[in-house]
């Protein structure tokens, strides 16, 4: 019998009495769908079934026990549980502490202003507003450039670099001699802080899957709620213990103390903060753990970074995800709290101590809702974000409508004010959803997270000045009604996102099943 040549077109056919040769089933390393092919597929969290089968040996169980609702990795394999423990101990820990410090440094200007800075720098009129606005301008300008650089500078370098940058200029604030210097330094602080929050959310979305991401995002955002309260306590400590030390006022020491807190964390992050799985070294993680993380990303349809091009930037700008989520962030207005003004209007009911203490309850309530929403979304809702987002928007609308008429029984109205900011508790879930729906394009994830955060800051800059003017507080019915109307549009927008993403996911699933059928169908051709 003649030998078969490598040219299949000239190979003789086998006789009917001989069964055709069948190629052996590929070994685990011979994937039917390559990693490169998976990354290039435009998917929403799914890859062709053959790739899933090949990843099964390193994937955690699909069926979750009740205990996994408390903490997801309880049902995982020991190897995956160990990898996630390292990830939580580095990325989540450094991220949460860094977020706390960032918002501590963001809010310290207000505490310094009411603790002697106004008199020391002879600030008059709107000069304080100019200082606050300068930070906001820097923060808005720096968002998108940081997102563009994030994929091409390793995160363990880029993120601490930003933190060291704002730390240096926070130190410099202690030496400001006039409000102009203060404004210039605050602008630079805003530039350095701009990319920090989006970068951490992008990095979370580079590692955690949809049964893990909600609660981690909530824990990260929890630091945002806690930081403003601690900033006031730090100022009290600086005034009482450091005022006059070294010839410096207490408000100047506040900036120095903030810088001292920031610098060590940024230095440690250079060594221990992980990059995304494709670029992380083996200082903390073993090679096997990094391979597991990469396999998890393949199973989630999550792509690695690719070079930026003008064509890619344009395709991201016109993508439905960018339009939908950035539009949502433009409308996601949290009702501006009028609580402190409402309390001050009733001196016969609330004492001066209560006027200062009761508003902090809002931060505590939001913190509780952050954790509850994150755990429910990852657990009983199995990674679905939209039900909780819609529920929170409905609650916010109801609270807003109950605000009018303004005055009633004080004990009945106080809870409305305390719960008025609960809409901000869904922020982690919204950004987790962004990460998941844009998983197949790393640059799109980075751009949309930063773009949405930018638009949110822009909107919250002008919206209060139009609808919640301080001279009318707490009697701001137009602002309350406007917030309720915008909340309705937010619900519509979320449902549109749900419809588009679900439709696309179903189509992708059908395509994956077609690929599987083609691969599994026997062929009469002789190899």
């Amino acid at each position: 019998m003649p030998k078969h040549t490598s040219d299949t077109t000239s190979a003789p056919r086998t006789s009917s009495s001989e069964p055709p040769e069948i190629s052996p089933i590929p070994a685990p390393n011979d994937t039917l769908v390559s990693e490169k092919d998976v990354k290039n597929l435009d998917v929403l969290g799914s890859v062709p079934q053959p790739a899933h089968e090949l990843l099964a040996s390193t994937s955690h169980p699909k069926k979750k026990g009740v205990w996994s609702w408390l903490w997801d990795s309880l049902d995982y394999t020991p190897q995956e549980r160990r990898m996630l423990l390292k990830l939580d101990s580095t990325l989540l820990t450094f991220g949460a502490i860094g977020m706390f410090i960032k918002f501590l440094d963001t809010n310290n200007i207000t505490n310094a202003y009411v603790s002697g800075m106004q008199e020391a720098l002879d600030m008059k009129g709107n000069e304080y507003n100019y200082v606050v606005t300068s930070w906001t301008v820097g923060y808005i300008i720096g968002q998108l450039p940081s997102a563009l650089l994030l994929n091409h500078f390793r995160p363990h370098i880029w993120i601490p670099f930003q933190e060291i940058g704002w730390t240096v200029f926070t130190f410099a604030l202690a030496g400001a001699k006039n409000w102009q210097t203060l404004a210039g330094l605050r602008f630079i602080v805003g530039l350095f802080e701009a990319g920090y929050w989006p970068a951490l959310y992008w990095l979370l979305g580079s590692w955690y899957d949809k049964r893990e991401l909600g609660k981690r995002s909530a824990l990260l955002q929890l630091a945002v709620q806690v930081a403003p309260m601690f900033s006031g306590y730090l100022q009290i400590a600086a005034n009482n213990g450091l005022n006059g030390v070294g010839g410096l006022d207490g408000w100047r020491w506040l900036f120095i103390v903030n810088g001292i807190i920031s610098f060590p964390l940024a230095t440690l992050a250079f060594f221990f903060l992980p990059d995304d799985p494709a670029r992380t070294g083996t200082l903390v993680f073993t090679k096997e753990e990094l391979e597991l993380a990469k396999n998890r990303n393949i199973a989630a349809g999550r792509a690695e970074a690719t070079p930026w091009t003008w064509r890619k930037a344009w395709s991201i700008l016109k993508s439905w995800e960018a339009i939908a989520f950035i539009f949502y962030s433009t409308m996601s207005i949290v009702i501006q709290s009028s609580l402190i003004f409402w309390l001050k209007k009733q001196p016969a009911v609330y004492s001066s101590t209560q006027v200062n203490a009761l508003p902090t309850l809002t931060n505590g309530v939001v913190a509780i809702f952050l954790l509850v929403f994150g755990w429910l979304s990852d657990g009983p809702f199995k990674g679905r974000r939209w039900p909780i987002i819609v529920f929170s928007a409905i609650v916010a609308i109801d609270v807003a409508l109950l605000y009018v008429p303004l005055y009633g029984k004080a004990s009945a109205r106080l809870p409305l004010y305390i719960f008025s900011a609960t809409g901000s508790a869904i922020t982690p879930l919204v950004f987790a959803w962004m990460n998941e729906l844009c998983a197949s394009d790393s640059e799109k994830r980075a751009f949309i997270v930063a773009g949405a955060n930018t638009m949110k800051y822009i909107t919250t800059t002008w919206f209060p000045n139009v609808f919640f003017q301080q001279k009318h507080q707490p009697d701001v019915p137009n602002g309350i009604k406007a917030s309720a109307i915008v909340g309705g549009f937010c619900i519509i927008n979320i449902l549109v996102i749900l419809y588009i993403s679900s439709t696309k996911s179903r189509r992708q699933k059908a395509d994956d099943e077609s690929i599987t059928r083609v691969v599994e169908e026997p062929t009469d051709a002789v190899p």
Side-chain angles (χ1 to χ4, degrees):
M1 181 179 288
K3 285 187 178 182
H4 290 240
T5 65
S6 59
D7 184 359
T8 57
T9 58
S10 61
R13 298 186 61 85
T14 58
S15 65
S16 59
S17 61
E18 295 180 46
E21 293 182 18
I22 306 233
S23 298
I25 297 174
N29 290 331
D30 301 326
T31 55
L32 297 174
V33 181
S34 69
E35 182 178 336
K36 180 179 179 181
D37 292 334
V38 172
K39 289 188 291 184
N40 291 332
L41 288 172
D42 187 16
V43 296
L44 294 175
S46 62
V47 295
Q49 186 63 28
H52 275 303
E53 293 173 353
L54 295 174
L55 292 170
S57 62
T58 58
S59 179
H60 51 74
K62 292 183 179 180
K63 290 185 178 180
K64 301 284 186 179
V66 175
W67 286 109
S68 68
W69 291 358
L70 297 177
W71 197 250
D72 39 66
S73 60
L74 291 176
D75 281 349
Y76 289 3
T77 63
Q79 182 189 15
E80 192 167 13
R81 194 181 305 128
R82 186 165 51 251
M83 186 270 290
L84 282 175
L85 177 61
K86 291 182 179 180
L87 188 60
D88 292 337
S89 301
T90 52
L91 172 55
L92 191 59
T93 301
F94 278 105
I97 297 174
M99 196 79 82
F100 170 83
I101 292 172
K102 174 196 174 302
F103 278 86
L104 200 65
D105 291 347
T106 299
N107 288 277
N108 59 20
I109 194 71
T110 301
N111 297 104
Y113 180 77
V114 299
S115 301
M117 186 178 74
Q118 178 185 10
E119 295 78 12
L121 301 186
D122 193 27
M123 298 176 69
K124 301 174 182 177
N126 291 321
E127 290 173 353
Y128 170 74
N129 292 334
Y130 299 151
V131 172
V132 172
T133 302
S134 67
W135 177 91
T136 304
V137 172
Y139 193 81
I140 291 172
I141 291 174
Q143 292 267 313
L144 290 178
S146 178
L148 298 177
L149 294 171
L150 183 59
N151 279 294
H152 302 286
F153 286 96
R154 296 179 65 176
H156 89 274
I157 295 175
W158 181 243
I159 293 175
F161 169 76
Q162 295 176 87
E163 191 167 1
I164 287 178
W166 86 62
T167 297
V168 169
F169 287 95
T170 297
F171 276 129
L173 288 169
K177 302 298 183 183
N178 52 60
W179 74 266
Q180 293 93 336
T181 302
L182 208 62
L185 292 173
R186 287 289 291 177
F187 172 81
I188 300 174
V189 170
L191 277 177
F192 277 104
E193 290 186 348
Y196 192 81
W197 192 94
L200 285 175
Y201 269 90
W202 176 87
L203 200 53
L204 288 180
S206 300
W207 285 89
Y208 294 107
D209 69 21
K210 66 187 302 178
R211 297 296 296 273
E212 304 158 356
L213 186 56
K215 64 176 71 70
R216 267 82 174 185
S217 299
L219 288 170
L220 203 65
Q221 193 69 13
L222 183 64
V224 178
Q225 296 298 320
V226 175
M229 295 187 290
F230 274 85
S231 183
Y233 302 147
L234 274 178
Q235 183 61 67
I236 293 172
N239 280 338
N240 293 339
L242 295 172
N243 190 35
V245 175
L248 297 178
D249 296 333
W251 66 269
R252 295 186 187 274
W253 274 108
L254 175 64
F255 296 124
I256 295 173
V257 170
N258 285 163
I260 292 172
I261 295 172
S262 301
F263 193 80
L265 181 77
T267 304
L268 289 173
F270 271 116
F271 299 98
F272 297 105
L273 184 71
D275 301 312
D276 52 291
R279 294 181 285 179
T280 293
T282 56
L283 179 62
V284 175
F285 299 92
T286 65
K287 291 182 179 179
E288 292 76 17
E289 289 166 345
L290 291 177
E291 192 63 30
L292 171 60
K294 293 174 185 177
N295 286 340
R296 281 162 45 99
N297 277 355
I298 294 173
R302 191 176 291 141
E304 296 176 8
T306 57
W308 275 100
T309 63
W310 286 109
R311 177 177 294 181
K312 185 175 187 64
W314 174 242
S315 69
I316 292 174
L317 280 172
K318 66 180 183 180
S319 67
W320 74 266
E321 296 97 337
I323 295 171
F325 276 112
I326 292 177
F327 185 62
Y328 171 84
S329 295
T330 304
M331 297 187 300
S332 59
I333 304 297
V334 177
I335 300 172
Q336 301 299 305
S337 179
S338 302
L339 177 55
I340 194 167
F341 303 103
W342 182 75
L343 294 170
K344 289 181 68 175
K345 286 280 186 178
Q346 303 177 83
V349 180
Y350 299 104
S351 66
S352 176
T353 301
Q354 289 175 311
V355 169
N356 286 284
L358 288 174
T360 62
L361 292 176
T362 300
N363 296 84
V365 169
V366 173
I368 293 171
F369 274 93
L370 277 171
L371 299 178
V372 171
F373 288 167
W375 257 256
L376 286 177
S377 180
D378 280 359
F381 285 96
K382 300 180 180 179
R384 297 181 184 91
R385 315 301 179 194
W386 69 269
I388 295 175
I389 297 173
V390 171
F391 168 78
S392 179
I394 292 173
V395 171
I397 292 172
D398 291 340
V399 169
L401 294 178
L402 288 172
Y403 263 15
V404 183
L406 180 64
Y407 291 100
K409 187 177 180 181
S411 60
R413 297 198 57 76
L414 181 60
L416 293 179
Y417 283 105
I418 292 174
F419 280 87
S420 63
T422 53
S424 61
I426 62 171
T427 298
L429 300 188
V430 173
F431 282 86
W433 205 15
M434 289 182 200
N435 266 308
E436 291 155 359
L437 293 184
C438 301
S440 61
D441 191 324
S442 179
E443 287 71 33
K444 182 187 288 186
R445 280 198 302 119
F447 180 88
I448 293 178
V449 168
N453 195 45
T454 300
M455 291 307 301
K456 187 171 185 178
Y457 262 87
I458 291 174
T459 305
T460 53
T461 297
W462 68 264
F463 192 85
N465 293 329
V466 174
F467 294 104
F468 290 90
Q469 295 181 10
Q470 186 169 335
K471 63 183 180 181
H472 297 309
Q473 290 279 19
D475 188 12
V476 284
N478 290 335
I480 293 166
K481 292 173 184 176
S483 296
I485 293 171
V486 169
F489 280 111
C490 283
I491 294 175
I492 295 172
N493 194 12
I494 287 296
L495 295 178
V496 169
I497 294 172
L498 175 65
Y499 173 77
I500 296 175
S501 61
S502 298
T503 301
K504 192 173 181 181
S505 181
R506 285 194 298 269
R507 289 175 180 171
Q508 186 62 50
K509 185 177 180 181
D511 291 342
D512 293 345
E513 290 173 352
S514 298
I515 293 173
T516 303
R517 285 196 298 271
V518 170
V519 171
E520 292 178 349
E521 282 178 359
T523 178
D524 292 332
V526 176

